[in-house]
Amino acid sequence: MADYRVPLKDMGFLLFDVFKAEAMWQQLPTLAERVDRETAEAILQECAKIAEQEIAPISRQGDEVGVSFNDGKVTTAPGYKEAFKTYAEGGWTALGGDPEYGGMGMPKMLTAQHEEMLCSGDISFALYPVLTAGAALSLAKHGSEELKNLYLTRMYSGEWSASMCLTESHAGSDLGIIRTKAIPQEDGSYSITGNKIFITGGEHDLTENIIHLVLAKLPDAPAGPKGISLFLVPKFHVNNDGSLGERNQVHCGSIEHKMGIHASATCVMNFDGAKGYLIGDLNRGLACMFTMMNFERIGVGIQGLSAASRSYQNALEYAKERLQGRALTGAKNTDKEADSIMVHGDVRRMLLNMKAMNEGSRALSTYIAMQLDYATYGEGELQAKGDALSTLMTPLAKAFFTDLGFENTVTGQQIFGGHGFIREWGQEQLVRDARITQIYEGTNGIQAMDLLARKVVGSQGKLMQVFIDEVNDYIKATPAENMQEFIAPLADALNDFSELTQYLLTKSKENINEIGAAANDYLHVFGYTAMAFVWAKMAEVALEKQGSDDFYQAKIKTARYYFTRLLPRRLSLIASAKSGSDTLFDIDDELF
Ligand SMILES: Cc1cc2nc3c(=O)[nH]c(=O)nc-3n(C[C@H](O)[C@H](O)[C@H](O)COP(=O)(O)OP(=O)(O)OC[C@H]3O[C@@H](n4cnc5c(N)ncnc54)[C@H](O)[C@@H]3O)c2cc1C
């Protein structure tokens, strides 16, 4: 496998040229105090070193050795403990954390790029700190002062990690039917009993304590999602001075053997009257957990991109070296027995598909992260718009980037021919590791329903109008002649998308099944349209700067490729979305 190289230039281009992060940070007083361009660049460069030199090199070993389970203990693959120690000692576990408790408080625009590097290095490794950061976010937002003081600092320091315990064997997408019970105790704590499955990082040897965030129900709680509460359950009790006490009654029963992310421990967790502490209000657990899940969902989207980005780097290096066949127009490399496969149109198609989708996903994820920063640190209209756009685009980031990410790991594998199928080159690991990103943190089907049912139909189109206005404003403000090749198809795509939204709003009133039938296609039409928006923005900056560097030429040419070869995918998706639900429900279950 090619050595991983962090696409630092692309990341800097997005942050500072396309999305003008410096101006944005200056506009938001909290961020102005914490970060400037110099700090941000230093952070990204240092993080790139860790990802390239410490994390990427252990990934193959992690895949081959995996995690092992013995008598309740989980041991990580060789190299993981050392890499985690280096990572934590470098302060990286504190990057996005609340400064009041020892975090660095960096904006999501930066932490999102940091997550991409980490996951391109190794998704399995990244899951341990990324889940901890998500749990810390939920605790920082909803936890009591007492809990925050006792737990947050050590989660930020990397001494303790965290897990997210939602899923039960009978309750995955439908969390409303969980059975884990929380019984109130006289001292104000709760006794938690139940079994959770598929818990990432539920048990391992990287940190001295593991803080589980657990969904459970009180005996008299209302049925369904409105009766769920969130509890903090430490593996080891924590004394008032922060030292570790006795073992809590929570244990790992077994670990799963699975298709990919072998170095990530996926655990069955048994809670047998474990002592837990309420986070947030009773019966408001799902809302508290959503703070973490929204953060994680963008992160999972970025995992899809990160695997695809690595796949592209490998495939490109291979394609340049691999000699097979001759160019249709005549031999290019006459002193060799064959030309490199780069001469073949189909190989160029595959490489450009990957390049255009990866760079588009990176741009869109940076844009969504920017909206999250406005939502967190902005005020007034800026804050409201950031909130609307990030809410709307969270399911998009999760599902669209992971669907494209998986497609692109497979495309990279295809470029290797048979050499992509065998272990030697490492391409098949990327395919296996990327696959889970479409499933966990709410399947992509659930994301599509969240977008169309809850966010679009649920707001009667108002939330989506915020996006449509945003892109329309950009189109109107960009009349330059040399941008028309991008602006005209963007305007067409936006019109069609806006029309599709109205069509589905009307149709769903006539027949509710139209929502489920159209949701997946709708999400992808939204994705290709939003990606066209950020590709136009990238092309605009590249046109201004062209001549100074080949990087900008490559951007303009890749933008052209996106608009002519990938954006048209939306047309078949629109046709499918409009085809209605009859063909899905006409066929009786027995006829399947
Ligand atoms: C490796 C791994 C790591 C994981 N890590 C964690 C973790 O750390 N913490 C945790 O709590 N969980 C974790 N999970 C669980 C994961 O989030 C769930 O597997 C996932 O949410 C789907 O739930 P399920 O497997 O029960 O599938 P189901 O909910 O049974 O879904 C089956 C199928 O039905 C579809 N479906 C279900 N309901 C609907 C609906 N209403 N509308 C449309 N389609 C629907 C789904 O999209 C899917 O295709 C992990 C899973 C794996 C495999």
Side-chain angles (χ1 to χ4, degrees):
M1 195 192 277
D3 287 341
Y4 172 51
R5 289 281 161 262
V6 172
L8 272 176
K9 182 150 190 170
D10 203 32
M11 291 177 170
F13 166 73
L14 291 171
L15 280 179
F16 303 114
D17 296 329
V18 179
F19 296 116
K20 318 269 186 261
E22 277 174 291
M24 179 211 183
W25 295 337
Q26 281 308 315
Q27 203 182 7
L28 306 172
T30 313
L31 289 182
E33 272 178 26
R34 292 182 190 165
V35 63
D36 56 20
R37 183 170 184 150
E38 207 184 322
T39 316
E41 284 176 342
I43 286 176
L44 292 177
Q45 277 161 16
E46 286 309 306
C47 184
K49 283 188 204 154
I50 299 254
E52 290 170 357
Q53 294 166 18
E54 306 288 338
I55 299 168
I58 58 172
S59 179
R60 175 70 182 250
Q61 175 132 290
D63 183 52
E64 274 165 7
V65 179
V67 277
S68 55
F69 177 76
N70 198 351
D71 201 18
K73 289 206 167 86
V74 172
T75 308
T76 50
Y80 278 67
K81 246 181 148 163
E82 295 75 12
F84 189 85
K85 190 163 177 281
T86 309
Y87 180 80
E89 283 174 359
W92 298 105
T93 37
L95 197 62
D98 185 342
E100 255 193 72
Y101 303 88
M104 284 168 67
M106 285 298 124
K108 185 72 195 171
M109 277 178 102
L110 265 191
T111 60
Q113 295 197 341
H114 149 259
E115 275 171 44
E116 185 194 323
M117 301 178 190
L118 208 59
C119 294
S120 282
D122 183 43
I123 293 179
S124 289
F125 176 88
L127 285 171
Y128 297 101
V130 164
L131 272 162
T132 306
L137 194 79
S138 195
L139 184 58
K141 187 146 184 206
H142 305 287
S144 66
E145 219 33 62
E146 200 183 341
L147 285 183
K148 289 199 270 191
N149 280 322
L150 216 47
Y151 291 91
L152 269 185
T153 315
R154 286 182 181 78
M155 287 162 80
Y156 291 149
S157 70
E159 288 163 90
W160 301 348
S161 61
S163 85
M164 176 173 94
C165 303
L166 287 69
T167 307
E168 299 177 10
S169 55
H170 70 291
S173 305
D174 187 359
L175 291 170
I177 57 174
I178 58 165
R179 293 181 190 142
T180 299
K181 281 275 163 281
I183 313 286
Q185 304 296 295
E186 280 186 359
D187 64 358
S189 70
Y190 291 80
S191 170
I192 312 287
T193 300
N195 306 100
K196 298 284 180 180
I197 64 162
F198 294 165
I199 306 307
T200 302
E203 178 61 42
H204 56 78
D205 57 359
L206 300 180
T207 55
E208 61 184 20
N209 203 2
I210 302 176
I211 313 306
H212 306 287
L213 295 202
V214 186
L215 290 184
K217 287 185 166 191
L218 264 64
D220 58 352
K226 293 196 171 132
I228 299 175
S229 303
L230 178 64
F231 300 89
L232 182 154
V233 181
K235 172 178 166 184
F236 286 98
H237 291 295
V238 178
N239 301 317
N240 286 339
D241 62 0
S243 60
L244 293 188
E246 306 246 297
R247 181 80 199 242
N248 203 353
Q249 289 310 308
V250 48
H251 293 94
C252 176
S254 60
I255 56 172
E256 305 296 344
H257 301 279
K258 52 198 193 292
M259 173 179 176
I261 56 165
H262 289 161
S264 166
T266 308
C267 306
V268 169
M269 297 303 298
N270 301 322
F271 297 82
D272 301 307
K275 199 177 184 98
Y277 307 91
L278 182 70
I279 297 179
D281 293 334
L282 274 179
N283 301 330
R284 299 277 304 143
L286 263 194
C288 300
M289 194 54 123
F290 262 102
T291 303
M292 174 173 187
M293 277 166 40
N294 283 338
F295 176 94
E296 297 296 346
R297 281 178 177 175
I298 293 175
V300 175
I302 290 172
Q303 287 170 28
L305 158 65
S306 69
S309 171
R310 191 85 193 269
S311 179
Y312 173 71
Q313 291 189 5
N314 293 342
L316 179 62
E317 186 175 293
Y318 185 80
K320 285 181 175 166
E321 302 281 319
R322 178 71 175 166
L323 306 181
Q324 291 291 294
R326 289 293 187 193
L328 288 178
T329 48
K332 284 244 158 93
N333 195 355
T334 44
D335 53 347
K336 293 266 166 62
E337 60 183 342
D339 287 336
S340 99
I341 59 172
M342 291 289 289
V343 303
H344 304 306
D346 192 53
V347 173
R348 299 179 82 81
R349 171 190 67 80
M350 290 191 277
L351 284 169
L352 275 161
N353 273 2
M354 297 172 81
K355 183 170 167 58
M357 289 192 235
N358 288 348
E359 291 174 20
S361 298
R362 184 172 299 121
L364 197 50
S365 71
T366 308
Y367 173 80
I368 300 170
M370 181 171 82
Q371 301 309 328
L372 265 174
D373 284 335
Y374 276 127
T376 311
Y377 302 106
E379 282 177 7
E381 264 183 43
L382 267 184
Q383 196 271 342
K385 192 168 114 181
D387 196 39
L389 287 171
S390 55
T391 302
L392 192 64
M393 293 177 123
T394 296
L396 179 73
K398 193 310 182 159
F400 191 55
F401 299 162
T402 59
D403 282 350
L404 296 189
F406 182 67
E407 178 185 333
N408 288 325
T409 54
V410 174
T411 302
Q413 186 181 37
Q414 191 73 12
I415 289 171
F416 277 78
H419 299 271
F421 192 72
I422 61 169
R423 293 281 285 145
E424 186 185 352
W425 292 87
Q427 279 301 92
E428 54 83 50
Q429 183 190 340
L430 293 171
V431 176
R432 287 185 289 101
D433 283 357
R435 184 65 182 88
I436 185 62
T437 64
Q438 297 171 294
I439 298 172
Y440 59 18
E441 280 300 321
T443 61
N444 286 1
I446 293 292
Q447 304 301 324
M449 287 301 286
D450 179 40
L451 173 69
L452 185 55
R454 242 165 54 90
K455 292 175 176 166
V456 177
V457 176
S459 73
Q460 276 307 300
K462 285 200 189 82
L463 264 183
M464 191 51 88
Q465 197 57 43
V466 180
F467 168 77
I468 292 169
D469 290 347
E470 165 95 338
V471 183
N472 256 328
D473 289 349
Y474 173 71
I475 291 171
K476 281 192 209 131
T478 316
E481 186 103 335
N482 64 350
M483 275 297 288
Q484 284 317 300
E485 64 173 310
F486 306 115
I487 291 296
L490 173 62
D492 281 349
L494 189 70
N495 276 340
D496 290 351
F497 177 59
S498 180
E499 196 263 327
L500 175 66
T501 305
Q502 286 310 319
Y503 177 90
L504 292 174
L505 282 171
T506 310
K507 283 281 170 189
S508 63
K509 279 189 200 135
E510 294 162 13
N511 176 2
I512 192 82
N513 271 336
E514 294 287 319
I515 299 179
N520 181 53
D521 293 325
Y522 180 80
L523 182 140
H524 286 85
V525 180
F526 181 25
Y528 284 111
T529 309
M531 196 173 269
F533 170 49
V534 293
W535 259 118
K537 279 178 165 285
M538 288 193 280
E540 187 186 5
V541 176
L543 282 166
E544 279 162 22
K545 292 186 171 248
Q546 68 176 323
S548 59
D549 192 327
D550 283 352
F551 175 87
Y552 302 108
Q553 275 302 320
K555 273 285 171 224
I556 296 164
K557 291 179 182 199
T558 312
R560 260 176 213 140
Y561 184 87
Y562 179 79
F563 276 90
T564 51
R565 305 265 322 206
L566 294 174
L567 184 57
R569 285 183 179 190
R570 71 192 176 83
L571 296 171
S572 65
L573 291 164
I574 290 173
S576 171
K578 284 187 173 176
S579 70
S581 60
D582 288 354
T583 47
L584 296 177
F585 290 97
D586 259 0
I587 177 164
D588 293 335
D589 287 3
E590 307 81 67
L591 296 180
F592 273 89

